[in-house]
Amino acid sequence: MREVRFGAGDVTLAGSLGVPARGAAAGAVLIGGSGPSDRDNDGYFRSIRRYLLEAGIAVLSYDKRGVGRSSGQWRAATMDDLASDALAALAFLRAQPAVPDGRVGLFGHSEGGWVALRAAARDTPSWVITNSCPGVTPAEQERYAVANAVRASDSLHDVVALYDRLVEAGRRDADFAEANRLVASAGYPSGLAAFWADVDADVWEFLKRKQDHDPLPDALRLLCPHLAVFGGADALVPVADSIRLFSAVACDGDRDHRATLTVEVFPGADHRVQREGALAPGYLRTLVEWINAAR
């Protein structure tokens, strides 16, 4: 792996590039998930990157803008900004002499899947993989996650109702002070902690901008094969609904014939497609086989 830097509009992104010594059969840009994700995506990308490299696939992963060695500020970004960053990474990887530019695609984990779809709708990568990426909006996805976090609790109804009030506050463009008053008046319920614990004024503005992002129009505009991967026991993503929605788009008569859809569900696996802390059996092999077959 070597340190690289490349421009993306008014920001400079830093990342790690790995190219197999014997040359690459294909290339993959790895896009991290929500929040301040770095090039390793909190360690998750390390084993994926290593396996892809051993299989002859070049890999570029990068620090999100404002994270690690990248300039800019992710909290101030839009989905289009993040997609532009992914496209800059795609162009950089395509330009590497040992990487066939006609075999380079995007791999996005969680929120990174929305970014990959938006980027792919604006360009034509060779393929796109969405990994634990919801087919619903961020607001719907977070509601599902919040409900799962408190499902066994007597406070389920109250916490979900509070979450719904926060979403509506975002749609009214309420400021952070008003949103925080809503949470404070409910006593900062523990069931909302996974969603609210790290929210400040800047993050609140980011959440407002993205909460109603719909990934389906981007999926409809794809001109390349799409692999949608899920863990069957993902507590953060409504997997069945996401599969249904991505499948409906794939059946739309306006979708390009090249935009085939493959869905892989790994039973018992979580949001990181892991079981008991390890990647689900067959997961890495599935990625490589699909990338090698994608044209």
Side-chain angles (χ1 to χ4, degrees):
M1 302 297 298
R2 65 181 177 94
E3 178 83 10
V4 296
R5 282 180 168 77
F6 50 93
D10 58 353
V11 303
T12 298
L13 301 176
S16 296
L17 171 65
V19 179
R22 62 185 181 278
V29 173
L30 307 186
I31 307 166
S34 61
S37 56
D38 64 8
R39 68 192 72 187
D40 292 331
N41 200 29
D42 195 27
Y44 179 54
F45 282 167
R46 290 177 188 147
S47 57
I48 296 173
R49 186 166 53 212
R50 182 168 55 251
Y51 193 93
L52 293 180
L53 282 169
E54 290 173 353
I57 298 170
V59 182
L60 172 62
S61 59
Y62 57 94
D63 300 330
K64 185 182 287 187
R65 56 171 61 198
V67 178
R69 298 186 179 94
S70 292
S71 67
Q73 178 53 261
W74 67 266
R75 295 174 182 85
T78 64
M79 197 65 70
D80 279 325
D81 292 331
L82 298 177
S84 293
D85 295 348
L87 289 174
L90 183 71
F92 183 85
L93 186 55
R94 281 172 168 166
Q96 301 307 304
V99 179
D101 62 4
R103 297 290 321 282
V104 179
L106 300 169
F107 173 105
H109 173 66
S110 194
E111 177 189 279
W114 291 323
V115 174
L117 288 172
R118 172 56 55 90
R122 288 169 45 185
D123 198 324
T124 309
S126 301
W127 45 264
V128 61
I129 297 174
T130 57
N131 192 74
S132 300
C133 172
V136 298
T137 66
E140 293 173 278
Q141 178 264 314
E142 289 286 5
R143 190 179 197 274
Y144 178 86
V146 167
N148 269 341
V150 293
R151 190 162 300 282
S153 167
D154 292 337
S155 64
L156 171 62
H157 175 78
D158 292 340
V159 172
V160 172
L162 171 59
Y163 173 80
D164 289 341
R165 290 196 294 275
L166 285 169
V167 170
E168 288 307 314
R171 289 178 180 143
R172 290 189 286 100
D173 199 27
D175 62 18
F176 176 67
E178 179 181 343
N180 200 46
R181 282 195 296 271
L182 284 173
V183 181
S185 67
Y188 293 102
S190 59
L192 197 68
F195 172 70
W196 194 253
D198 297 323
V199 177
D200 58 17
D202 290 337
V203 174
W204 173 246
E205 293 300 318
F206 179 79
L207 292 174
K208 286 194 298 184
R209 283 195 299 276
K210 82 166 187 175
Q211 68 176 17
D212 290 318
H213 170 75
D214 184 356
L216 300 183
D218 290 334
L220 183 60
R221 291 195 293 271
L222 291 179
L223 301 175
C224 64
H226 175 199
L227 170 64
V229 181
F230 298 96
D234 191 336
L236 304 183
V237 172
V239 172
D241 286 343
S242 296
I243 293 171
R244 175 179 56 80
L245 290 165
F246 283 139
S247 297
V249 168
C251 294
D252 192 299
D254 290 332
R255 177 134 141 169
D256 190 274
H257 71 278
R258 291 166 289 181
T260 56
L261 173 67
T262 304
V263 176
E264 293 282 354
V265 180
F266 291 85
D270 62 14
H271 189 59
R272 290 193 160 198
V273 202
Q274 294 178 334
R275 298 182 62 172
E276 299 178 350
L279 290 170
Y283 166 73
L284 293 172
R285 184 181 68 252
T286 295
L287 296 182
V288 168
E289 289 177 352
W290 187 86
I291 290 171
N292 286 335
R295 292 289 188 273

